Amino acid sequence: MLARSRLHAVRFGAGPKVFVGLHGWSGSHRSFEPLNPFIPPDVSFHAVDLPGFGRSPDPSGWDMERFLGPIDESIPPGPVTLVGACGGAVIALFLAVHRPERVERLVMIDPFAFAPWYFGIFDTPLLGPLFYGLSFMNPIGRWLTNQGVRRHRSAETDLIEGFKEVRHASNLAYLRLLVQNSRVDFRRFEAYPGPVDLLRGRRTFPAVAAGVPKWRGVWPHLRDVVIDEAGHLPIFEATGEVARWVFDEHD
């Protein structure tokens, strides 16, 4: 557990450089387990269960302010490197804007800069829960969905695996939170002036690649890294390559 935290977290490594991992949709602290063997001796990596996921309690409300509060209280005082995967990259970004003095570097792994139309379906009052249930709350729906996104993953990767044990009400609320906050004015993110690395798989969803110019509009110094052998889950599909960039050990 991280100090002073109601959120559950697991620490890998024991070095003085602090990294904090924030997982994406249907994830947990286990989303960062593949990085464990690659953690340098001078790094400690804190993988957090976000509010409503894993062993962490639900937030007091599903708005960004109340969602960020427990995370802000959970991370070490700083400076830290925030590593966000998929939707967790957006959460890391909002946290970096909220507390820029505590964040020395931001690593965004396969983030969506905007919500594609198929995410918007989940934000509708009637169709959202129905579509979610058909797609993710039963084995047949999960299998069909995973087959439908096979172009954006490796043959060994299951993009839907996390839905087997997730708290579905929290998972749907988390996605809606991300969709609603993708509509904000991107100029607000200029409040975080530090280094930003964006890592994305070459076979990821088109919406991820389409968002890169939008991120560059905020940070001209953005470092955009394309991982050739990966899809939407580069941490699992190209772990060594991702680790080199996350821990800044590349050539």
Side-chain angles (χ1 to χ4, degrees):
M1 291 287 282
L2 298 182
R4 304 179 294 104
S5 174
R6 291 180 60 241
L7 300 184
H8 177 261
V10 173
R11 187 178 74 180
F12 308 118
K17 295 181 181 178
V18 179
F19 287 64
V20 176
L22 305 179
H23 63 79
W25 193 35
S26 80
S28 72
H29 71 273
R30 298 187 63 187
S31 300
F32 297 98
E33 284 182 346
L35 295 177
N36 188 17
F38 297 90
I39 293 176
D42 62 344
V43 166
S44 60
F45 193 103
H46 301 260
V48 179
D49 283 337
L50 294 180
F53 291 84
R55 300 181 186 177
S56 291
D58 289 340
S60 59
W62 287 97
D63 57 80
M64 189 59 75
E65 182 177 354
R66 284 183 286 184
F67 192 78
L68 287 180
I71 306 171
D72 187 24
E73 294 174 359
S74 300
I75 65 175
V80 305
T81 294
L82 288 182
V83 182
C86 189
V90 178
I91 299 301
L93 174 54
F94 272 90
L95 188 58
V97 170
H98 176 62
R99 299 295 295 271
E101 74 283 359
R102 296 179 62 186
V103 180
E104 65 176 354
R105 179 171 165 244
L106 181 63
V107 181
M108 307 172 72
I109 301 178
D110 231 69
F112 288 88
F114 58 89
W117 67 267
Y118 44 86
F119 280 0
I121 294 176
F122 297 110
D123 196 34
T124 59
L126 297 178
L127 284 180
L130 175 61
F131 190 68
Y132 178 92
L134 291 173
S135 302
F136 303 116
M137 292 182 67
N138 64 88
I140 295 176
R142 289 193 293 268
W143 184 86
L144 290 172
T145 302
N146 196 47
Q147 294 306 304
V149 297
R150 63 185 179 274
R151 290 181 299 168
H152 309 300
R153 60 176 175 84
S154 67
E156 298 79 19
T157 305
D158 185 348
L159 281 175
I160 314 299
E161 183 177 8
F163 290 86
K164 296 177 183 178
E165 299 179 355
V166 75
R167 283 177 257 169
H168 290 292
S170 295
N171 203 40
L172 180 56
Y174 180 41
L175 180 61
R176 286 174 163 173
L177 177 70
L178 294 172
V179 170
Q180 292 161 11
N181 282 277
S182 71
R183 302 166 183 150
V184 300
D185 185 349
F186 264 51
R187 287 175 295 182
R188 67 180 296 175
F189 298 142
E190 294 174 353
Y192 171 72
V196 183
D197 290 342
L198 192 155
L199 314 181
R200 55 189 173 97
R202 187 170 297 279
R203 298 194 313 275
T204 190
F205 296 97
V208 172
V212 173
K214 209 165 188 180
W215 299 122
R216 282 203 183 279
V218 179
W219 307 294
H221 61 280
L222 172 80
R223 187 163 55 176
D224 177 31
V225 179
V226 179
I227 309 296
D228 286 332
E229 60 268 37
H232 183 57
L233 295 180
I235 291 179
F236 289 86
E237 298 167 329
T239 309
E241 180 70 9
V242 169
R244 284 191 289 273
W245 286 97
V246 167
F247 302 119
D248 211 15
E249 294 190 319
H250 51 85
D251 296 330

